[in-house]
Amino acid sequence: MKKHVLLALVCILCVPAAFADWALRPQAGSKPVQWIDYALTFNGDFGIERNRALGSLGYSWLFEPFELSAAFQTSADAQCRNINDITLSAAWWAVKSVHQWRTWEFGIESIYHYQHYQDIYGEHDGIFYINMRQRRDNGFELVLKQGGTLKCANLYATDTSITNLNPVAWLSVAKTWQNGFELFSTVGSHSTFRYQLFFAPTFTVSAACTFGGMFRPSIEWIMGCTDFFSASIYINRMAVRFAGRILL
């Protein structure tokens, strides 16, 4: 069973890469763009990750219409047990249509996430998305994703494996001004390092500003919920994230 689950996760991640040779044919004058993200996240007094600080580091590579990224996050609980996360993603924007002042793009994306909670459990998540993105000349951007996820968790204490298939969805809205200032918000079935069962959404509201085209600091407010369709919504996470991005 474990072999079949791992094989499925690998297939989910590799679907866009299978088209890489075709997708990576650059347009005239296009160049790869690379950047590094680093962040500190401070959780509030909510849920099982209450009052915890988390550090993360990520790398992204963009060469239209292909995007690759890798990210790592680490933290520790009150008993000093490490919680480490690795997330890999690949996206291919296969179709692009320009209509006067707006551009439509459609593509596919796959994400692989692994979390290791020392002495507690290990978790694999594989996600496959169908994506739609609209960009406008005034700096407005809308991204909508819909897909499914395969989750496999192993509880070390009982040597028990749990496998789940769930739908996933993601919506983001952003606005960028000519001076480099940005406002953006997201709601989705998961965040970069937290993948819960459907539908326990994560909401974010963020602000950022790019200086000299090279450095982009940002601040982000994060709220995670469970039992979202019940009468009593439970907030299981509240956090503030301070991040920086350096263009390479």
Side-chain angles (χ1 to χ4, degrees), residues 56-131:
S56 63
L57 182 67
Y59 168 80
S60 297
W61 184 86
L62 168 63
F63 193 20
E64 290 191 8
F66 208 67
E67 300 174 10
L68 301 174
S69 67
F72 171 78
Q73 178 176 267
T74 186
S75 64
D77 64 12
Q79 287 73 43
C80 296
R81 291 175 296 207
N82 292 328
I83 306 172
N84 296 322
D85 295 85
I86 296 175
T87 301
L88 307 174
S89 67
W92 175 39
W93 296 96
V95 178
K96 183 176 182 178
S97 179
V98 180
H99 297 275
Q100 296 180 348
W101 44 269
R102 65 182 182 271
T103 300
W104 292 90
E105 295 175 279
F106 300 89
I108 56 176
E109 179 181 5
S110 57
I111 301 172
Y112 169 74
H113 167 254
Y114 173 69
Q115 182 180 85
H116 177 258
Y117 193 158
Q118 185 179 349
D119 301 326
I120 304 297
Y121 68 85
E123 176 183 283
H124 299 269
D125 298 286
I127 293 179
F128 180 78
Y129 271 129
I130 296 175
N131 296 346

Side-chain angles (χ1 to χ4, degrees), residues 58-235:
Y59 168 80
S60 297
W61 184 86
L62 168 63
F63 193 20
E64 290 191 8
F66 208 67
E67 300 174 10
L68 301 174
S69 67
F72 171 78
Q73 178 176 267
T74 186
S75 64
D77 64 12
Q79 287 73 43
C80 296
R81 291 175 296 207
N82 292 328
I83 306 172
N84 296 322
D85 295 85
I86 296 175
T87 301
L88 307 174
S89 67
W92 175 39
W93 296 96
V95 178
K96 183 176 182 178
S97 179
V98 180
H99 297 275
Q100 296 180 348
W101 44 269
R102 65 182 182 271
T103 300
W104 292 90
E105 295 175 279
F106 300 89
I108 56 176
E109 179 181 5
S110 57
I111 301 172
Y112 169 74
H113 167 254
Y114 173 69
Q115 182 180 85
H116 177 258
Y117 193 158
Q118 185 179 349
D119 301 326
I120 304 297
Y121 68 85
E123 176 183 283
H124 299 269
D125 298 286
I127 293 179
F128 180 78
Y129 271 129
I130 296 175
N131 296 346
M132 183 276 291
R133 178 167 64 192
Q134 184 195 96
R135 291 172 169 173
R136 300 187 180 184
D137 292 345
N138 62 2
F140 174 83
E141 180 179 281
L142 171 70
V143 178
L144 178 63
K145 305 178 182 181
Q146 183 68 53
T149 179
L150 172 65
K151 176 186 290 288
C152 180
N154 183 30
L155 307 179
Y156 298 145
T158 60
D159 194 24
T160 303
S161 294
I162 302 172
T163 303
N164 273 287
L165 286 170
N166 280 278
V168 286
W170 175 276
L171 172 68
S172 69
V173 179
K175 167 69 175 177
T176 303
W177 284 264
Q178 292 184 351
N179 61 4
F181 183 71
E182 303 173 44
L183 287 176
F184 49 99
S185 181
T186 69
V187 55
S189 303
H190 61 87
S191 60
T192 304
F193 299 106
R194 295 294 176 263
Y195 296 77
Q196 302 185 82
L197 299 179
F198 191 86
F199 182 59
T202 297
F203 299 86
T204 71
V205 177
S206 312
C209 191
T210 301
F211 296 95
M214 297 293 294
F215 177 59
R216 177 183 176 272
S218 64
I219 183 171
E220 182 174 85
W221 172 78
I222 304 167
M223 183 180 74
C225 300
T226 58
D227 301 325
F228 195 71
F229 291 120
S230 68
S232 57
I233 298 173
Y234 176 69
I235 299 175

Side-chain angles (χ1 to χ4, degrees), residues 36-40 56-58 215-216 218 241-246:
I36 292 175
D37 290 297
Y38 58 91
L40 284 175
S56 63
L57 182 67
F215 177 59
R216 177 183 176 272
S218 64
R241 182 174 180 264
F242 301 93
R245 174 176 296 175
I246 300 175

